[in-house]
Amino acid sequence: MIKGFAAVLVVLGHALMQTGVPNVFFNGIYSVLYSFHMQIFFFAAGFVSIKMLQLEGIEGRAKYIGSRCQRLLVPYFVMGIIYTPLKIVLQKYANLPYDFSTGWRIFIGENPDGALWFLYALFIISLCVVLVIQKSNMWILWGISLVVMIISCMFTYENVIEVLKTIVM
């Protein structure tokens, strides 16, 4: 139910963004929605993945990681690969032309179809959690993730990408 509510907020936020109407009321709703809707979605995704605690041994964790790859990374890379030629062909009509030399950034979460960032982020979070979570430390990790979620409200996607670029380069 929480994930469904968050999905409705995402759709509503995107719909408000597409209106293009310079309206103080719409802009206020848009700002409020975008301050927390993805955090709720990620929180709910983690909350319902309690099954990670039931994974047995390395084989169980490897199988889980493989299923997350299929569910999250396959669409992320396939859509990025499909989107890239379209972006190159149609770049003369775009506000920001596509620089093909930046294609490698797809591996650090910067997909040519920028709307897919959440798939990459959710995979990385799932990977980190499945590697460290145990019943004995679940509540500590839950508290840490809550703090990180709250702190994340202070950062934009562009700030995170700049930090990743600095680390990689």
Side-chain angles (χ1 to χ4, degrees):
M1 186 165 143
I2 294 173
K3 286 173 74 173
F5 177 69
V8 168
L9 293 179
V10 170
V11 171
L12 182 60
H14 282 275
L16 289 173
M17 183 174 59
Q18 298 300 320
T19 62
V21 177
N23 184 311
V24 174
F25 178 71
F26 281 161
N27 289 342
I29 293 174
Y30 174 81
S31 296
V32 169
L33 287 176
Y34 269 74
S35 70
F36 71 89
H37 76 284
M38 286 308 290
Q39 289 90 339
I40 287 177
F41 191 75
F42 276 79
F43 179 77
F47 188 73
V48 297
S49 65
I50 197 77
K51 62 185 169 190
M52 281 192 267
L53 291 173
Q54 300 166 350
L55 296 174
E56 296 288 332
I58 295 174
E59 297 84 19
R61 292 177 189 270
K63 185 176 179 183
Y64 178 80
I65 291 169
S67 72
R68 297 304 281 176
C69 281
Q70 289 177 346
R71 194 156 181 207
L72 299 171
L73 290 185
V74 169
Y76 172 81
F77 285 111
V78 168
M79 292 309 296
I81 290 167
I82 291 171
Y83 195 78
T84 299
L86 294 171
K87 193 152 181 148
I88 291 169
V89 168
L90 299 173
Q91 70 180 338
K92 64 182 174 184
Y93 304 108
N95 291 333
L96 296 170
Y98 182 69
D99 181 7
F100 193 71
S101 69
T102 62
W104 65 269
R105 292 183 182 170
I106 195 169
F107 296 105
I108 63 166
E110 193 173 321
N111 197 300
D113 181 0
L116 297 178
W117 66 269
F118 72 95
L119 293 173
Y120 185 85
L122 194 53
F123 174 76
I124 296 298
I125 292 167
S126 297
L127 181 64
C128 292
V129 171
V130 78
L131 293 175
V132 299
I133 195 164
Q134 297 173 3
K135 288 182 184 179
S136 61
N137 66 3
M138 182 183 71
W139 292 109
I140 295 169
L141 294 172
W142 224 71
I144 291 170
S145 66
L146 184 61
V147 169
V148 169
M149 183 181 81
I150 292 167
I151 292 172
S152 72
C153 294
M154 297 184 294
F155 296 98
T156 64
Y157 174 71
E158 289 79 19
N159 293 44
V160 173
I161 290 299
E162 288 302 317
V163 169
L164 288 174
K165 286 179 193 173
T166 306
I167 293 170
V168 171
M169 297 179 149

